[in-house]
Structure formats: structure tokens, C-alpha cells
Amino acid sequence: MVLSSSPFEEYVAMRGCDPPQPQDINDYQYFHDHMTELDRAQALETDSISGVRDQDFLIPVSIDSQNYPRPEPYTTSIRARAYTHAAANDGLGPFPLVVYFRGGAFISGDLETEDVTARQIAKLCRCVVVNVEYRHSPKYSYPTPLQDCWDSVKWLARHARSQLRADPLNRGFIVGGTSTGALLAMSVALRARETNLTPPLTGQLLRSPILIHPGAVTSYRGPPLESYFAAVEYPLHTKPMIERAFEHYGVPPESWESPFVSPLLANDFTNLPPAYFQVTTLDLHRDEGLRQQQQLAEAGVRTKIDVYEGMPHAFWLLPRIKQAAAATRDLVLGIQWLEVSSGWDSGIREELESWTRDAEEAEGEKRYKERKLCRVAGCGCFI
């Protein structure tokens, strides 16, 4: 694919809202603060997503150590939030289970980071969505985030039906995430295959996936990952900042090429669950997503991919524009394609189409009326 040289026109119009480059690329707090501000902006959308109930709960996980995978017993816990379609109140269900891991470059994020995404999936797909608040660096370095995600999936495989009105065995069991969350999701899928997780995973959602450790990019033996060196950089997603974020993640050099750290470098992709990809052309990691989709397809894994021309990394988390609504629509259709959508019928399709039209019509006008000044010290951008 030829690298798009022209950003999408609506994104160009929003570039005045981009935060400035941090003066110090080692200042992870700057990145963290901006992610918090994006969460604040997305929270404005939460009230408009009706028909979803949520509940916070705890998942037992392993203590912090340098070993992966860590043995049980579990000795601590992390928070998670389950989102359920209001149809459960009418006695419907059980529903498919979607376990979602947020992005944040391993250094940022909490349950609010993908709150809107989780609500949209639960509402439009009639799934139970679990948003996992895995621990992150620099306080908790590798392998804690990865282990938290794996422990969460194992626990949900055992308890989702009894505690969350989800049925991963008969209705569907998928893992997904955005950015580094997608890396964690695919790492979990590889571990689930290796350990014969029961019930087995039935799908993967990989959105703007980061799939290789920066220190292992030159070890990739396929076509060159040109986008990593040539892509237009969004101020909060530059190559130096990603490299620094992975330094905070703390993977020892001898593990950079591990399939659980760099899934793109795995030797065997057979017998993995079907995968749906969302890839953007103005993204450092564009080629990682494109190459991974190709590798999976060559290994006999069912794949589907949507590519967004002229848009930056995980643009659906940026101030909302029409393309963000389109990406959400595609995500829902991707879940339908994975055949885990419960009770998918013409009524749900009509609801999706109506939601998409309303979102696209509202976004342009709302974008400039409801922008709020970023509160990060010394920034002054709008979100």
C-alpha cells in the first residue's frame, strides 16, 4: 500500500486542536495528562448512549513478578467494568462476551479510557463487554499488564456466565483492544491457543494495533515496515515517544522478540480465532496491522480489515468527526462478521444505521460548539 500523503480533510480541519509536541519526550506524565483530557472529552458522549447498564467488579490476578506466565494462586485483584444491553432487564440473554483492553502505550489509561467504545459495542451488538483496568507502567512494568489481561480472560472464561449473564461457550468469546491494547489482545489469543483455553476464543478485534516492540522492528523478516519510519506523526504518537513508552514497559532485550511482546514475530499463526482489523494510513504502525492480517490469512485464519485513508493512529479517540462514527459502525459490523453478535436481526441493523446517520450529522456542528479547552498545563489546545 502506498503511504497516503494527504490527511483526511476533516482531520486537517481539526489539526489546530492538536496538542503541541512535549518539550521532553521522556515526560510520560504529559502523555498521561492528555489521555486523561481525551477521557474527559469522551465522557461528554456517555449520556447519549442509552440502553446500557454497567457494573464495576474485581477480578483476581497474580502478584507482581518478573515471570510470565505466573502461576496461581491469585493474591490481589484489579478493577473491571461490565456493560450489558438493557435487554437483559427483560430476561433476554445470555449474551456473547467481548473482553476489551484499552490503549495508552502501557503508561496511561483506566476504566474511562474506552468507556464510550464499550458502551457502543454493548448497545449496538447486544454483547456483554468487559473493560479491564490492567495495571500499567511505570509503576507496574512487564509482564504485569500482560499477566493481568491473561488472568482476566481465564477468570472470565470460568465465571462470566454465572456472574455477568454472558455465555462465552455458546454465544461467542472475543478479545480486543486499541493500540497497545490490541497487542495485549493478540498476545492473549496466542496464549489461549497454547494452553487450550476452555471455552476457546472465537474472535479478535485489533484496532490500530501495535504488534512489535520498537527494539525488534529490524528483526522482522517480511516486507519492510515502512510506515514506522515514514508515517506522519500525531503529536501524542511519535516514534520517540513510543520508543520511550516501551522503555517504561520494561521488557528485557532478550524478550523483545517473544510472540507475547511482538506478536508480529510469532512463528505459528495457525488455529488462531478470526481477526477483524482497523488500520489507519497515517500511523506509525500501519504496516504492522497490514502485515499481520496477511500473515494470519496465509495461515488459514479468517480475517477482515478496514483501512482509513488519511487518518492518524486510533483517531476514534480524538475529538470526534464523521469518520469516527464510521469507524464505530465498521467495528459493529466487524463484530457481526465474527459471528458473535447475539440476536442480530433487521431491527438491530436499523438501529445501527439510524445511530450512524445521527452521529455523522451531529458531529460536524457539535465539534466546534462543544470543544473544551485542554487543562494540561502549558498546552492550550482544544479537545
Side-chain angles (χ1 to χ4, degrees):
M1 175 180 291
V2 177
L3 180 66
S4 173
S5 59
S6 301
F8 189 69
E9 60 182 11
E10 287 186 293
Y11 176 55
V12 172
M14 290 302 301
R15 287 306 299 265
C17 300
D18 283 354
Q21 292 273 9
Q23 306 244 333
D24 179 6
I25 65 170
N26 297 328
D27 185 6
Y28 83 91
Q29 189 63 45
Y30 180 92
F31 179 91
H32 180 275
D33 290 346
H34 264 292
M35 289 296 293
T36 300
E37 286 296 284
L38 288 173
D39 294 346
R40 181 171 69 96
Q42 285 206 73
L44 297 173
E45 307 291 332
T46 299
D47 292 341
S48 66
I49 306 175
S50 60
V52 178
R53 67 181 189 183
D54 63 75
Q55 67 176 98
D56 289 2
F57 62 101
L58 297 177
I59 294 179
V61 295
S62 307
I63 60 171
D64 188 33
S65 78
Q66 292 303 307
N67 299 316
Y68 178 77
R70 300 178 191 144
E72 300 182 26
Y74 302 123
T75 55
T76 188
S77 60
I78 58 174
R79 287 200 309 158
R81 181 173 296 159
Y83 304 80
T84 308
H85 194 282
N89 296 333
D90 299 326
L92 298 181
F95 301 99
L97 176 64
V98 177
V99 186
Y100 206 89
F101 305 125
R102 70 179 187 275
F106 298 119
I107 61 175
S108 181
D110 53 29
L111 290 181
E112 306 307 320
T113 303
E114 296 280 6
D115 183 80
V116 171
T117 298
R119 291 179 186 277
Q120 290 168 335
I121 295 174
K123 175 181 175 63
L124 298 172
C125 297
R126 295 192 179 180
C127 297
V128 172
V129 182
V130 175
N131 185 5
V132 176
E133 191 175 56
Y134 61 85
R135 293 169 289 180
H136 59 73
S137 60
K139 183 176 181 180
Y140 297 100
S141 59
Y142 173 85
T144 296
L146 177 58
Q147 184 69 48
D148 283 354
C149 293
W150 175 233
D151 287 345
S152 298
V153 167
K154 288 193 298 180
W155 186 89
L156 289 164
R158 300 169 186 168
H159 302 287
R161 186 177 180 93
S162 62
Q163 300 197 25
L164 299 177
R165 204 170 179 74
D167 185 358
L169 176 61
N170 298 302
R171 304 312 300 265
F173 188 7
I174 71 177
V175 292
T178 300
S179 189
T180 47
L183 186 157
L184 292 168
M186 188 161 193
S187 297
V188 164
L190 288 165
R191 177 65 71 187
R193 181 197 61 183
E194 181 180 279
T195 61
N196 295 314
L197 178 71
T198 303
L201 298 176
T202 60
Q204 304 174 75
L205 298 174
L206 306 173
R207 312 182 75 199
S208 281
I210 297 177
L211 296 170
I212 190 169
H213 189 289
V217 168
T218 56
S219 299
Y220 179 62
R221 299 309 178 195
L225 302 175
E226 296 178 357
S227 64
Y228 188 73
F229 303 97
V232 176
E233 296 181 327
Y234 175 66
L236 286 181
H237 198 86
T238 66
K239 188 156 71 74
M241 291 189 72
I242 290 302
E243 291 171 347
R244 183 56 175 163
F246 269 86
E247 289 180 22
H248 282 297
Y249 188 32
V251 182
E254 60 270 20
S255 296
W256 287 353
E257 297 182 21
S258 163
F260 306 113
V261 175
S262 298
L264 189 68
L265 300 181
N267 293 321
D268 180 12
F269 297 106
T270 59
N271 300 315
L272 287 173
Y276 169 63
F277 290 80
Q278 288 184 306
V279 173
T280 61
T281 62
L282 297 186
D283 185 358
L284 297 171
H285 311 285
R286 179 204 65 192
D287 289 348
E288 296 165 44
L290 296 176
R291 302 287 185 268
Q292 191 65 288
Q293 185 269 334
Q294 182 179 15
Q295 290 185 144
L296 291 178
E298 290 174 350
V301 177
R302 292 176 57 237
T303 65
K304 176 179 172 61
I305 186 168
D306 283 313
V307 179
Y308 302 90
E309 289 284 343
M311 298 305 294
H313 183 81
F315 68 91
W316 44 83
L317 297 178
L318 303 179
R320 299 181 64 81
I321 54 177
K322 290 181 181 180
Q323 279 289 87
T328 299
R329 176 202 62 209
D330 293 340
L331 173 64
V332 172
L333 294 175
I335 294 173
Q336 178 201 14
W337 175 83
L338 288 170
E339 298 180 344
V340 300
S341 186
S342 174
W344 189 276
D345 55 27
S346 60
I348 298 179
R349 181 176 293 277
E350 290 173 3
E351 182 179 15
L352 171 61
E353 292 176 350
S354 174
W355 176 88
T356 303
R357 284 194 304 271
D358 292 345
E360 290 181 344
E361 290 173 0
E363 292 306 340
E365 180 179 358
K366 185 169 61 177
R367 170 60 47 234
Y368 297 99
K369 286 186 177 180
E370 296 189 3
R371 291 187 306 172
K372 295 188 179 295
L373 185 66
C374 177
R375 297 180 295 190
V376 175
C379 178
C381 75
F382 284 88
I383 57 176

